[in-house]
Amino acid sequence: MGADQDVRDSKRMSRILRHFPRDFGVTLDHEGWASVTDLSRGSGLSEDRIRSIAVTNTRYELSPDGSRIRALHGHSVDVGYGDPVSPPDVLYHGTSAEGLEAILSSGAILPMRRTMVHLSVSRDRAE
């Protein structure tokens, strides 16, 4: 499959996992995990295709046994991310030049239309 198809399939998965799981018959648990089988049924993508996209895209996480998947950020539906932990001393937030101006003028990184602000432990991951 080509890169264009990869992008389309990934966006379909993202739309379902981040915004409209119920519309596609997918149930998320309290941490945002969904069954790969349910996502396959709802998206029309094969389970192998879903796993292939997930392992090559940092937007998703697969469970160790490959039976569950979740989007890592950008949800408009309410999900949690497990038990709270103490953050490291430095975290990074990827943003545009316009976003940086808004952050500096407001003095805060705000979730805007999302439920959370995504922070990363490395600059590369944030970019």
Side-chain angles (χ1 to χ4, degrees), residues 13 34-40 43 45-57 60-69:
M13 290 168 46
S35 159
V36 170
T37 301
D38 289 350
L39 181 59
S40 175
S43 67
L45 301 172
S46 73
E47 291 185 25
D48 287 341
R49 179 75 176 132
I50 290 168
R51 288 185 188 100
S52 173
I53 291 168
V55 299
T56 60
N57 191 317
Y60 306 104
E61 181 178 13
L62 278 175
S63 62
D65 67 359
S67 68
R68 297 182 310 144
I69 185 171

Side-chain angles (χ1 to χ4, degrees), residues 21-117:
R22 289 186 184 146
D23 293 354
F24 293 86
V26 174
T27 302
L28 303 182
D29 73 9
H30 68 283
E31 293 182 344
W33 289 101
S35 159
V36 170
T37 301
D38 289 350
L39 181 59
S40 175
R41 283 189 205 117
S43 67
L45 301 172
S46 73
E47 291 185 25
D48 287 341
R49 179 75 176 132
I50 290 168
R51 288 185 188 100
S52 173
I53 291 168
V55 299
T56 60
N57 191 317
T58 59
R59 295 174 187 228
Y60 306 104
E61 181 178 13
L62 278 175
S63 62
D65 67 359
S67 68
R68 297 182 310 144
I69 185 171
R70 69 177 173 180
L72 291 175
H73 52 81
H75 295 81
S76 61
V77 295
D78 192 24
V79 296
Y81 292 97
D83 295 328
V85 296
S86 296
D89 291 336
V90 176
L91 290 168
Y92 298 87
H93 174 69
T95 193
S96 64
E98 295 82 20
L100 178 60
E101 288 179 27
I103 291 167
L104 293 174
S105 67
S106 72
I109 301 172
L110 304 172
M112 308 304 285
R113 296 181 314 241
R114 298 183 176 178
T115 58
M116 296 183 180
V117 172

